[in-house]
Amino acid sequence: MSTLSVREYLDSLTMFGIKPGLEATVELMNRAGNPDRDLKFIHLAGTNGKGSTGAMLECALRSAGFTTGFYSSPHLIDIRERFRVNGRAVPQGDFDAYAAELAEAARRNTGRDFRFTYFEFTTVLAALIFARAGVDVVIWETGMGGRLDSTNVVNPIATVITNIALDHQAYLGDTIDKIAWEKAGIIKPAVPLFYGVMPEEARQVLLDRARQLGAAPTGPGPETAGRLHYKTANGMTVQEFEYEGRRVRLPLLGAMQRRNFRVVYPVLKFMQSRYGLDLDRALDGLANVRWPARCQQLNERLFVDGGHNPDGLAALCEALQEAAPGEKFRIVFAGFRDKDVAGSLKLIAPVAAEFVFVPLHEADRPCYSGEELCKLAAECCSVPSRAAENALLAVNDALADSKCRVLVAGSLYLAGEVLSGMADRRSVLDLA
């Protein structure tokens, strides 16, 4: 199958949309020869923070000498971001070959009629890529939810649930405890569970499920101790703090990332006791962790963040107020209609000097126009706003005014548009 036909096949899968359930993924995994069978997975779920948590775990394990696989979604500029081996996106040639091989398996007439979705296909493709690469540990991130998420077909060595907040209510439920129940679906019998800071009703759901399955639960590590320092080197900001007698340097900004670290730390301790991880090397390695579009400082004057729900935007606002106290940003913002955009705008308004609203160029999901967002902002906050035609024009125009630094926020798709036009491609593809 040619590169073009692989791309056409992947594009054809998007028409099947989101289809919760595991039967089709199990079928495709079987057709692919069960590449997941000999892999060690750390399975991550959570409303927000699972990508950053996964990036920390991947970087720490790689720094300690483990060969890592990291499956994440969605991608920002290139599908190969979803499949990283030792922090680097799978090479184009390998991706084309493995995708073609799996597409042939998906099309095979087995007497069982399945129409695989895009995410089902990429999930099995990730297992195939990591099995062929011979990785030691796979950081395995859910797409949405957990119980019926395609990633939930594997048998992990540990499960991690970062936090629980309202998002994807149409699929996961309209209350915290319902969403927690869906995410608790990744917990497996006798497999240790690690969980982060979350509402008490969510925590109780996880603990009840863990108790039923004999899965030993471990909550977040202790609060960070001592004085927090923010430092700037080569125009980039990092945070430093004391933890368990060690100095931790973290290029990911904000209190939420320290909360994520408090989930990462006990997982690393588990890996130390079970698999001989060198904890000091792992923690030192976090000084090099990167995770694109999560309060990412692209240069001295531009930040890009993919936060797209109130919980994520609250964390972003908290990070900026901590790293740049008192500073106001010109915010280039976009949002989909199925998100709580008004709630997000209220939360990000304290760090906004001005909103510049733009549409999203995502054909299969309805988004707000810039003009509609201006009206919405006028109703929910007192920040001046205006509309612009597209993201790159808006960002370049905002950067031309030296009075404020610029922040891109509201959607991972918007972040991807900006990074496609303004970032070095390899810096998005490769974490190493």
Side-chain angles (χ1 to χ4, degrees):
M1 185 181 291
S2 69
T3 300
L4 180 61
S5 57
V6 167
R7 191 175 300 119
E8 288 172 340
Y9 177 75
L10 281 166
D11 289 344
S12 76
L13 300 181
T14 60
M15 73 178 67
F16 303 121
I18 297 172
K19 187 182 69 180
L22 305 181
E23 186 182 7
T25 309
V26 170
E27 171 71 17
L28 188 56
M29 198 74 84
N30 288 337
R31 294 188 192 187
N34 297 112
D36 60 310
R37 190 171 291 157
D38 296 321
L39 293 170
K40 294 180 175 67
F41 295 91
I42 298 176
H43 196 184
L44 273 80
T47 303
N48 291 304
K50 58 184 181 291
S52 300
T53 299
M56 287 188 215
L57 284 170
E58 188 282 323
C59 183
L61 291 171
R62 172 165 40 90
S63 300
F66 287 77
T67 301
T68 60
F70 186 10
Y71 178 52
S72 62
S73 63
H75 58 270
L76 294 165
I77 66 172
D78 190 309
I79 189 175
R80 293 182 295 124
E81 296 165 44
R82 296 177 182 233
F83 322 96
R84 292 185 171 101
V85 175
N86 270 348
R88 297 185 180 276
V90 60
Q92 187 68 57
D94 289 349
F95 173 82
D96 293 340
Y98 297 143
E101 178 183 337
L102 187 59
E104 290 297 327
R107 289 168 161 170
R108 189 180 307 141
N109 183 3
T110 65
R112 291 166 58 81
D113 184 24
F114 282 92
R115 291 182 174 180
F116 303 107
T117 66
Y118 186 93
F119 191 68
E120 289 164 348
F121 186 89
T122 60
T123 296
V124 178
L125 179 59
L128 183 62
I129 288 169
F130 299 145
R132 298 287 173 83
V135 304
D136 298 319
V137 182
V138 177
I139 308 303
W140 190 246
E141 182 190 321
T142 57
M144 182 180 67
R147 182 176 64 94
L148 298 177
D149 189 84
S150 293
T151 60
N152 203 27
V153 300
V154 305
N155 294 309
I157 60 171
T159 57
V160 180
I161 300 177
T162 56
N163 75 343
I164 307 290
L166 292 175
D167 199 16
H168 300 298
Q169 289 98 312
Y171 295 96
L172 304 181
D174 57 0
T175 64
I176 291 292
D177 59 332
K178 288 178 182 177
I179 293 172
W181 187 79
E182 289 292 339
K183 294 184 187 298
I186 72 167
I187 302 171
K188 300 293 189 299
V191 173
L193 164 69
F194 300 88
Y195 64 89
V197 177
M198 63 183 65
E200 181 59 21
E201 62 264 41
R203 191 178 77 92
Q204 284 303 321
V205 170
L206 301 191
L207 293 179
D208 288 346
R209 185 59 178 159
R211 193 177 303 113
Q212 292 168 7
L213 296 174
T218 301
E223 294 272 6
T224 56
R227 187 176 176 184
L228 172 69
H229 297 273
Y230 273 94
K231 296 184 178 181
T232 302
N234 300 318
M236 302 299 172
T237 306
V238 300
Q239 60 174 316
E240 292 185 357
F241 52 88
E242 295 287 336
Y243 203 82
E244 300 284 282
R246 295 176 171 88
R247 192 70 177 163
V248 177
R249 190 168 191 249
L250 198 59
L252 305 179
L253 307 183
M256 182 179 182
Q257 299 298 356
R258 295 195 298 281
R259 291 191 290 271
N260 290 337
F261 172 81
R262 290 169 59 197
V263 184
V264 168
Y265 187 78
V267 178
L268 295 179
K269 294 278 285 185
F270 161 76
M271 293 297 293
Q272 179 188 39
S273 64
R274 186 73 62 89
Y275 298 100
L277 173 109
D278 185 325
L279 186 61
D280 289 325
R281 284 178 63 193
L283 293 173
D284 288 345
L286 288 177
N288 299 311
V289 68
R290 294 191 307 106
W291 191 230
R294 278 67 171 188
C295 202
Q296 179 186 4
Q297 191 172 1
L298 208 57
N299 55 49
E300 289 188 32
R301 297 202 54 238
L302 177 61
F303 290 80
V304 179
D305 188 85
H308 51 272
N309 55 38
D311 193 61
L313 271 296
L316 171 63
C317 186
E318 182 183 44
L320 292 172
Q321 288 175 320
E322 191 176 88
E327 185 172 351
K328 303 280 188 176
F329 294 79
R330 182 166 285 109
I331 301 178
V332 178
F333 190 100
F336 287 115
R337 290 184 180 275
D338 61 350
K339 299 296 181 182
D340 181 6
V341 172
S344 295
L345 290 174
K346 289 177 185 176
L347 288 167
I348 201 72
V351 295
E354 180 188 35
F355 283 119
V356 183
F357 293 120
V358 297
L360 287 164
H361 300 291
E362 177 72 10
D364 62 348
R365 271 178 82 187
C367 71
Y368 287 101
S369 69
E371 291 75 14
E372 288 172 322
L373 286 170
C374 284
K375 292 179 182 177
L376 194 60
E379 296 170 1
C380 67
C381 57
S382 58
V383 178
S385 67
R386 57 186 171 89
E389 291 182 13
N390 65 64
L392 289 179
L393 284 174
V395 171
N396 283 314
D397 180 60
L399 288 171
D401 184 348
S402 60
K403 293 177 184 176
C404 297
R405 289 199 283 181
V406 179
L407 169 66
V408 174
S411 168
L412 278 169
Y413 293 92
L414 175 63
E417 283 186 44
V418 172
L419 292 174
S420 293
M422 305 190 73
D424 174 70
R425 189 173 183 82
R426 295 312 310 181
S427 72
V428 180
L429 288 171
D430 296 341
L431 305 180

